[in-house]
Amino acid sequence: MPQRNILLIVSGGIAAYKSLDLIRNLRKQGDCVRVVLTAGGEKFVTPLSVSALSGTAAYTDMWSLKDETEMGHIRLTREADAIIVAPATANLIAKTACGIADDLASTLLLATRKDTPVLFAPAMNTAMWENPVTQENIEKLKARGIRMIGPETGDMACGESGPGRMSEPETLLKALNALLGSGPLRGLSAIVTSGPTFEPIDPVRFIGNRASGKQGHALAAALATQGAAVTLVTGPVSLPDPAGCATVHIETAAEMKNAVCAAMPCDIAVCAAAVADWRPEHSANQKIKKTEGEPPAPVTLTENPDILAEISRSKNRPKLVIGFSLETQDLVENANIKRRRKGCDWILANSVHANADTNDTPVFGADSNTVYLITETNQELWPEMSKTKIAEALVARMIKTLRPQADGA
Ligand code: CTP
């Protein structure tokens, strides 16, 4: 991998100490890291520790004659293959959203060209994060193509608890690699469906299911980490958009199908969504009222399109089409029948229970699962593992199949 120039902007938050680890990890994988500290950032980490770890000067001042002669602050952004702001405080987010350039960090962000990938890792107190003004600023930045990673939910340094913690350095590194499209799947595109679909009965009621989207989102993230250009089409879930993926939010199966068609053609398709098989034939424009003494209004159902089957049979069929199957009995046999019926290459089959032996823990929303990988020639039982590990193992198998020369390199 050629050496990449990463510009890291550290603004003033307690999470700044984690950015020192990020510098180390970036250097370890061979990247050149230039670091800009805001005045707040300097309160939490010193220019000395930053430059000792990065091996270059820490940039702190817009008006430093020495820095300007040696580097020139605009060159700092021009030479960057990617910019990561970690931690990104509410203040720096607000300044970037408004185009304020009153210090080195905000000036560099304003002077950054559209084609330079920028990743923000927000970190702040929960109330600051949840404040509508911060949320509006985040939406503004996202609309301009800036990617967000985190924040995570948990205990905060200030003693409160909730969303606001900066993502761990390892997560930031993966997101950055995904953003730069490095890895063995570089040059390949993937579509992943995830989550449930909601089929409206009227403006307030719908038919849905318990899918959490954890497996589909983990797969999208794992594919992006290995360099694929990923479009994630997701139904309503309470998960953050995975870093490095283009995420499309839909509600109904028909909308999911349209979003998938719009993202086609692709090299890999993974249908992990729990698409509702049926939808109400008519969705009322107004809320259906209950009338005293009368039976409930009947809901007539009609079939939804089978997205997996349509992808498998499309003219531009992806090289690899993968489906999921959830069964309550004769797991392998039924999954194999489904694989043939839907025309996909592989099926990951799981029982309704995450642990096949004990029949406890329903798989919906669980963090781990026991699955079979079923292909035309093979069926393998994988030991119980987390949905993230399943995603990584499945992506490793995809690499073996699609990029055998990269496998084991
Ligand atoms: N799937 C899809 N579109 C649908 C229904 C399912 O893309 N309308 C995909 C799912 O994403 C999953 C696979 O098909 O990858 C299996 O879905 P499942 O609901 O288990 O299969 P069904 O067709 O409903 O079969 P059965 O009701 O017999 O279980």
Side-chain angles (χ1 to χ4, degrees):
M1 188 160 64
Q3 192 175 50
R4 308 176 309 185
N5 284 315
I6 308 295
L7 180 65
L8 167 66
I9 296 176
V10 179
S11 59
I14 182 70
Y17 75 94
K18 293 191 196 172
S19 302
L20 296 179
D21 244 354
L22 180 62
I23 301 173
R24 264 168 19 117
N25 293 339
L26 285 165
R27 294 261 294 166
K28 231 194 308 187
Q29 68 172 28
D31 293 322
C32 161
V33 192
R34 294 199 176 109
V35 185
V36 171
L37 290 173
T38 65
E42 258 191 279
K43 302 270 183 226
F44 292 93
V45 291
T46 68
L48 188 63
S49 41
V50 162
S51 64
L53 287 169
S54 68
T56 59
Y59 299 89
T60 55
D61 185 6
M62 252 243 304
W63 313 112
S64 153
L65 184 61
K66 181 173 164 292
D67 289 352
E68 280 302 299
T69 340
E70 282 174 11
M71 185 65 186
H73 66 264
I74 298 295
R75 247 179 75 203
L76 273 173
T77 95
R78 290 292 169 274
E79 289 186 357
D81 293 309
I83 299 177
I84 175 161
V85 185
T89 57
N91 183 43
L92 187 54
I93 289 168
K95 286 204 294 188
T96 314
C98 298
I100 293 172
D102 63 354
D103 64 1
L104 181 58
S106 53
T107 305
L108 288 174
L109 287 166
L110 190 63
T112 297
R113 289 217 165 102
K114 253 202 343 257
D115 54 2
T116 307
V118 182
L119 189 67
F120 272 55
M124 64 198 74
N125 165 275
T126 300
M128 288 167 99
W129 171 251
E130 287 175 346
N131 194 310
V133 73
T134 302
Q135 289 305 312
E136 276 167 31
N137 290 334
I138 293 284
E139 289 312 314
K140 272 190 203 165
L141 295 186
K142 278 197 197 166
R144 288 182 211 146
I146 290 181
R147 308 293 184 120
M148 296 289 156
I149 171 101
E152 319 267 326
T153 298
D155 292 336
M156 313 282 296
C158 56
E160 294 180 10
S161 165
R165 282 169 63 88
M166 189 173 87
S167 298
E168 293 304 315
E170 195 186 312
T171 312
L172 300 182
L173 189 70
K174 280 188 184 169
L176 198 59
N177 286 345
L179 196 62
L180 286 169
S182 42
L185 294 179
R186 183 181 193 147
L188 296 182
S189 56
I191 298 174
V192 180
T193 68
S194 184
T197 63
F198 284 0
E199 310 294 335
I201 297 172
D202 66 18
V204 290
R205 305 180 181 95
F206 61 85
I207 297 177
N209 60 66
R210 296 179 194 277
S212 66
K214 281 183 185 168
Q215 188 64 79
H217 277 55
L219 268 157
L223 280 161
T225 301
Q226 298 298 339
V230 182
T231 303
L232 170 66
V233 182
T234 176
V237 292
S238 54
L239 300 171
D241 294 350
C245 302
T247 303
V248 184
H249 294 268
I250 54 84
E251 292 216 332
T252 65
E255 288 164 1
M256 181 171 274
K257 185 189 146 187
N258 289 343
V260 166
C261 288
M264 290 274 275
C266 67
D267 300 293
I268 303 165
V270 189
C271 292
V275 184
D277 289 320
W278 308 285
R279 66 176 183 275
E281 192 164 22
H282 304 287
S283 157
N285 289 335
Q286 307 293 335
K287 186 181 169 202
I288 301 170
K289 301 295 284 181
K290 136 180 104 188
T291 317
E292 197 83 18
E294 284 198 14
V299 178
T300 319
L301 299 176
T302 185
E303 205 164 323
N304 266 328
D306 190 317
I307 300 165
L308 175 59
E310 291 197 15
I311 295 175
S312 300
R313 308 220 156 93
S314 65
K315 259 203 328 267
N316 297 320
R317 188 187 192 280
K319 296 184 184 80
L320 194 57
V321 182
I322 304 171
F324 277 73
S325 134
L326 184 66
E327 306 288 343
T328 50
Q329 55 189 351
D330 302 330
L331 189 79
V332 174
E333 197 187 318
N334 280 336
N336 225 334
I337 293 170
K338 200 172 285 176
R339 191 186 66 77
R340 284 196 291 269
R341 179 160 49 85
K342 299 204 179 203
C344 57
D345 300 299
W346 302 349
I347 264 204
L348 268 205
N350 52 172
S351 159
V352 181
H353 298 281
N355 183 316
D357 297 330
T358 57
N359 262 10
D360 56 6
T361 327
V363 73
F364 311 107
D367 287 323
S368 68
N369 202 356
T370 312
V371 297
Y372 276 90
L373 173 63
I374 297 173
T375 68
E376 198 181 346
T377 51
N378 216 352
Q379 58 198 45
E380 290 168 26
L381 174 62
W382 289 1
E384 183 178 352
M385 50 185 146
S386 72
K387 290 182 176 174
T388 311
K389 284 271 178 288
I390 291 175
E392 286 167 2
L394 190 63
V395 171
R397 197 57 75 88
M398 294 181 208
I399 296 170
K400 218 175 191 161
T401 305
L402 296 172
R403 289 278 161 86
Q405 68 285 11
D407 183 51

